[in-house]
Amino acid sequence: MFAAVPTPIPARMKGLNRAEICDINFREFVLGWDGRAGQAPAAAEPVLEGSALDARGFRELFESQLVSRHLDLMARVLRVQNKVFYTIGSSGHEGNAMVARASRHTDPAFLHYRSGGFMAERFRKLPGMDPVMDSALSFAASKDDPASGGRHKVWGSKPLWVLPQTSTIASHLPKAFGTAVAIEQARRIGHALPVPDDSIAICSFGDASSNHATAQTAFNVAAWTAYQKLPAPVLFVCEDNGIGISVKTPDGWIARNFSQRPDLDYFAADGLDLAGGYGDVQRAVEHCRRTRRPTFLHLRTTRIMGHAGTDFEIEWRSIEELCAVEATDPLLRSAVIALESGLMSKDEVIDLYEATRAKCFAAAEDADRRPRLELLEDVMAPLAPYTPGAVAAEAARADYGSRRLEAFGGEAKLPERQPPRHLAIQINQALHDLFAKYPEALLFGEDVAQKGGVYTVTKGLQKAFGARRVFNTLLDETVILGLAQGYANMGLLPMPEIQYLAYFHNACDQIRGEAASLQFFSNGQYRNPMVMRIASLGYQRGFGGHFHNDNSITALRDIPGLVVGCPSRGDDAVTMLRTLMALAKVDGRVCAFLEPIALYMAKDLHEPGDGGWLTEFPAPGEAMALGEGRVYGQGGDDLVVFTFGNGVPMSLRAARTIEAKHGWSVRVVDLRWLVPLNDAFIREQAAGAKRILVVDEGRRSAGVGEGIITALVEGGLAGVPLQRVVGADTFTPLAGAAFLVIPSEEQIVAAADRLAA
Ligand SMILES: Cc1ncc(C[n+]2csc(CCOP(=O)(O)OP(=O)(O)O)c2C)c(N)n1
Ligand SMILES: [Mg+2]
């Protein structure tokens, strides 16, 4: 299937620095070449007889390969001088330039870290761009790096539709699939795409990475989609060099594992041989574009110069094996094509090689003289953009009256005209309202469509807004969040639903490593706004189990840039959702909305039938500012209780008992926003408090309560008597025992008693 590799050159048996060896090998190989040169083909003629690649194409690809190679060589040299900070290279993978050549610069691409060749070639697609300088700036972590602003060495470019990736392997595949689906779906809901309608999404990854659960998830959902004859134009490019760091991929495994998968169309191409490989690469790209089917391109590559600069292969591999690998260097094959075709003489090849080296070093030296990130605020600038005025205006925007009337079925049925209702109904109404407001909003997850979710919170939405905007996904949280990123990349406003908080943890990396990091690693050039709804927390009666009652939000608290809100009542849920959508829309923020399951149906507060937890639907125009809490018992300062979620009605009930028992005036503060915590608001509410109680239904370690106490202590309020009522550091058991591990009203009262003592 693959063309022959160049004949092995005499191996250099000594020499520890394999980068130097590969460099010398190239020169010696070219100068020692004794084949016969043909009659140089014209630009539009095949570079070699029978090749799908023309002479112009070959020359450009060869140049791109050389740029990639010399960036690697430069990085190895300048790393030790502290001028470059990244040495995972592309050497041996330069043939991936063919994928860039065969595709368009508007095909969104999510790239493997060995994509130097791809990038250099894609740079050709737009005039006036310089792959050498741009890459050098990224290698040098220069502030002027146009991809990440000096935050990381990434392959990324805004004009070239390369969404930056760091090197968590496989994590980008679900969102590449999501982007492919979004390209198709956007058109169907009348949304104008930022790229041509027949674009495809490209992602590349290594052979070892193809085994990763996150990769398998993407292959599976792509096939699941195609099986149903739904379009999913994603091109999976597996760059198979036969190894992952030091672990060999079993011979033939990639072909065996992928060539027969139903609904994943398999193509193989020799990435070591431009003349032989290009036609196959082109066929794969065209197949994906034309059929809109998930396509798997198995690209043969090799890995020379080790996994990274720090990988001294000589220590764990035999010299014979190393030399054999080095003999498969695709640049040697390209040199042969250049010479054999008669396109270039030996001197011309060497001159081009050296001129490219000089250019890369000059760019790197230039990049080293540019400023680097020196201030924390500069590092963090793109992480969590927030324009309060514009967000407030957007949250309060109410210019969609006619769509609203249509969605609710007339004036009389508008939710603000209805009597007070409970949380689940008000969230449902808010979603209808927001779907009328944002035609680009999509809601999806497990069981959300016809059933309306496990708790019927999304009931009726699909009927009202159609199956293109409200739909069930397959059962895979990683896919749900990958889809969300894909839709967002294409300008839609996704609202993924995670069925239970426990299941967020299955797919946490899609938010932590991917969605929340995009603005950061792209220096604010790319954004993937979303509002992720999660049915959350404990206290359910009659519906037990750890996974249905997970009370830990620590994993969310820890994600930089994420916004997390948790309402405890219906009206707050409505105004909070408006603000979350506005944060996503205006500032591109990734948001989480935690819905306390146990409060969905809560109607009463103190006595059965009092309707104390029913609320009116806030009319459009009303919104809640980010960080704004709700205070019950304003002015009460004998005891101030900080809490959220289920803790709010529980604390309000306990407050009655405490007031009666101790004669205190008690203030209960619902923080509502859990990430970021509003430290200033917490301190303001604590000022003048005689006693403080923190009621946190999450776990003791690393929960919200710790954040509240830290805010208080750092605010200088250490002297005020303080107690914390908090969940235990344990998993949630079944049945009544579940209530032993989370705070109770009695514990709140007991804590107040301790404060009184
Ligand atoms: C999720 C994750 N696990 C582990 C790693 C560490 N790691 C980085 S690259 C790599 C090997 C990848 O091999 P392969 O997919 O074949 O790509 P190659 O480097 O060979 O191109 C590993 C284990 C990582 N980056 N991400
Ligand atoms: Mg590999």
Side-chain angles (χ1 to χ4, degrees), residues 167-192:
S167 37
T168 316
I169 55 95
S171 54
H172 53 304
L173 272 59
K175 64 180 165 186
F177 163 78
T179 303
V181 167
I183 289 168
E184 287 293 317
Q185 207 166 331
R187 208 177 41 225
R188 291 178 173 75
I189 62 168
H191 172 80

Side-chain angles (χ1 to χ4, degrees), residues 224-305:
W224 182 87
T225 307
Y227 174 67
Q228 298 169 82
K229 309 241 176 318
L230 298 170
V234 55
L235 180 68
F236 295 111
V237 182
C238 179
E239 301 189 10
D240 183 3
N241 59 19
I243 198 164
I245 303 189
S246 68
V247 181
K248 303 240 174 81
T249 291
D251 258 355
W253 169 245
I254 299 297
R256 176 80 177 166
N257 195 15
F258 293 100
S259 62
Q260 304 296 331
R261 281 207 191 187
D263 294 307
L264 189 57
D265 301 345
Y266 176 87
F267 292 76
D270 191 350
L272 300 179
D273 178 11
L274 301 182
Y278 190 68
D280 294 323
V281 169
Q282 237 179 351
R283 268 188 289 284
V285 172
E286 280 163 14
H287 172 85
C288 185
R289 194 178 310 284
R290 182 173 45 79
T291 63
R292 320 303 287 160
R293 279 173 60 81
T295 304
F296 189 97
L297 172 59
H298 180 190
L299 191 67
R300 183 193 185 201
T301 60
T302 189
R303 187 191 77 192
I304 58 174
M305 294 159 49

Side-chain angles (χ1 to χ4, degrees), residues 93 112-114 167-169 206-209 212 241 243-245 307:
H93 286 242
H112 190 40
Y113 43 75
R114 301 203 195 283
S167 37
T168 316
I169 55 95
D207 46 297
S209 307
H212 199 276
N241 59 19
I243 198 164
I245 303 189
H307 176 72

Side-chain angles (χ1 to χ4, degrees), residues 275-585:
Y278 190 68
D280 294 323
V281 169
Q282 237 179 351
R283 268 188 289 284
V285 172
E286 280 163 14
H287 172 85
C288 185
R289 194 178 310 284
R290 182 173 45 79
T291 63
R292 320 303 287 160
R293 279 173 60 81
T295 304
F296 189 97
L297 172 59
H298 180 190
L299 191 67
R300 183 193 185 201
T301 60
T302 189
R303 187 191 77 192
I304 58 174
M305 294 159 49
H307 176 72
T310 45
D311 174 22
F312 299 107
E313 283 180 292
I314 195 90
E315 290 176 357
W316 58 270
R317 252 178 136 169
S318 76
I319 188 74
E320 291 75 18
E321 195 185 344
L322 269 180
C323 291
V325 169
E326 285 160 6
T328 63
D329 183 344
L331 291 202
L332 304 182
R333 173 63 191 153
S334 290
V336 170
I337 299 169
L339 298 169
E340 211 171 83
S341 64
L343 265 187
M344 297 171 87
S345 68
K346 290 182 184 183
D347 285 349
E348 282 169 331
V349 171
I350 296 292
D351 286 353
L352 179 61
Y353 187 76
E354 292 304 331
T356 311
R357 183 202 308 277
K359 214 169 148 190
C360 289
F361 269 88
E365 293 291 350
D366 182 356
D368 179 51
R369 288 188 291 270
R370 310 283 190 98
R372 294 198 167 85
L373 289 165
E374 275 165 10
L375 297 172
L376 176 61
E377 64 214 66
D378 286 349
V379 171
M380 291 181 64
L383 176 68
Y386 181 40
T387 43
V391 169
E394 176 61 25
R397 181 168 66 79
D399 59 357
Y400 57 105
S402 58
R403 288 204 302 272
R404 203 168 179 259
L405 281 177
E406 200 185 316
F408 287 106
E411 281 280 343
K413 293 195 177 150
L414 289 176
E416 59 272 26
R417 301 273 188 96
Q418 312 309 316
R421 304 300 300 269
H422 50 277
L423 178 68
I425 293 278
Q426 299 301 38
I427 294 177
N428 178 274
Q429 303 274 46
L431 292 172
H432 279 83
D433 201 0
L434 290 166
F435 263 62
K437 181 169 177 175
Y438 297 104
E440 72 275 32
L442 303 174
L443 187 144
F444 47 94
E446 293 150 20
D447 307 295
V448 298
Q450 297 85 355
K451 181 174 166 69
V454 175
Y455 298 94
T456 65
V457 171
T458 56
K459 188 115 195 133
L461 263 187
Q462 189 187 50
K463 203 158 173 226
F465 297 99
R468 287 178 178 148
R469 294 183 61 197
V470 181
F471 49 92
N472 293 325
T473 63
L474 88 179
L475 202 173
D476 186 337
E477 288 73 23
T478 301
V479 165
I480 294 169
L481 298 178
L483 269 173
Q485 293 168 80
Y487 289 128
N489 288 336
M490 291 296 103
L492 295 156
L493 196 46
M495 299 188 86
E497 176 180 303
I498 301 293
Q499 200 160 65
Y500 285 97
L501 181 56
Y503 309 146
F504 167 73
H505 299 102
N506 290 47
C508 176
D509 178 57
Q510 288 299 305
I511 298 295
R512 171 194 297 275
E514 300 301 312
S517 76
L518 183 65
Q519 298 213 35
F520 184 78
F521 287 120
S522 70
N523 199 14
Q525 298 176 91
Y526 283 107
R527 34 186 273 174
N528 46 22
M530 68 180 72
V531 177
M532 166 177 63
R533 295 176 40 254
I534 313 179
S536 301
L537 305 172
Y539 297 98
Q540 289 190 79
R541 294 191 183 272
F543 200 50
H546 147 69
F547 40 92
H548 294 140
N549 289 278
D550 191 348
N551 63 335
S552 173
I553 62 160
T554 300
L556 287 158
R557 286 192 74 213
D558 176 54
I559 300 176
L562 187 70
V563 175
V564 182
C566 179
S568 63
R569 45 189 258 182
D571 52 354
D572 284 359
V574 176
T575 52
M576 181 180 275
L577 269 173
R578 285 181 187 148
T579 297
L580 290 170
M581 291 297 265
L583 280 162
K585 185 81 191 157

Side-chain angles (χ1 to χ4, degrees), residues 718-738:
V720 183
L722 181 141
Q723 288 278 325
R724 175 164 60 132
V725 178
V726 65
D729 278 336
T730 177
F731 299 105
T732 307
L734 199 60

Side-chain angles (χ1 to χ4, degrees), residues 112-161:
H112 190 40
Y113 43 75
R114 301 203 195 283
S115 296
F118 182 106
M119 282 306 289
E121 186 65 22
R122 190 168 263 209
F123 266 85
R124 292 178 190 287
K125 308 258 173 177
L126 285 180
M129 295 191 69
D130 178 4
V132 174
M133 194 59 214
D134 280 13
S135 305
L137 288 164
S138 196
F139 273 104
S142 159
K143 234 174 138 174
D144 296 343
D145 159 26
S148 80
R151 281 170 193 80
H152 212 283
K153 158 68 187 62
V154 292
W155 296 122
S157 164
K158 179 68 179 168
L160 295 173
W161 275 100

Side-chain angles (χ1 to χ4, degrees), residues 11-32:
R12 209 157 289 275
M13 298 304 286
K14 297 203 171 72
L16 293 174
N17 185 335
R18 301 318 291 181
E20 267 173 27
I21 303 281
C22 291
D23 195 10
I24 297 167
N25 276 352
F26 183 83
R27 289 181 60 92
E28 289 193 352
F29 178 80
V30 170
L31 295 173

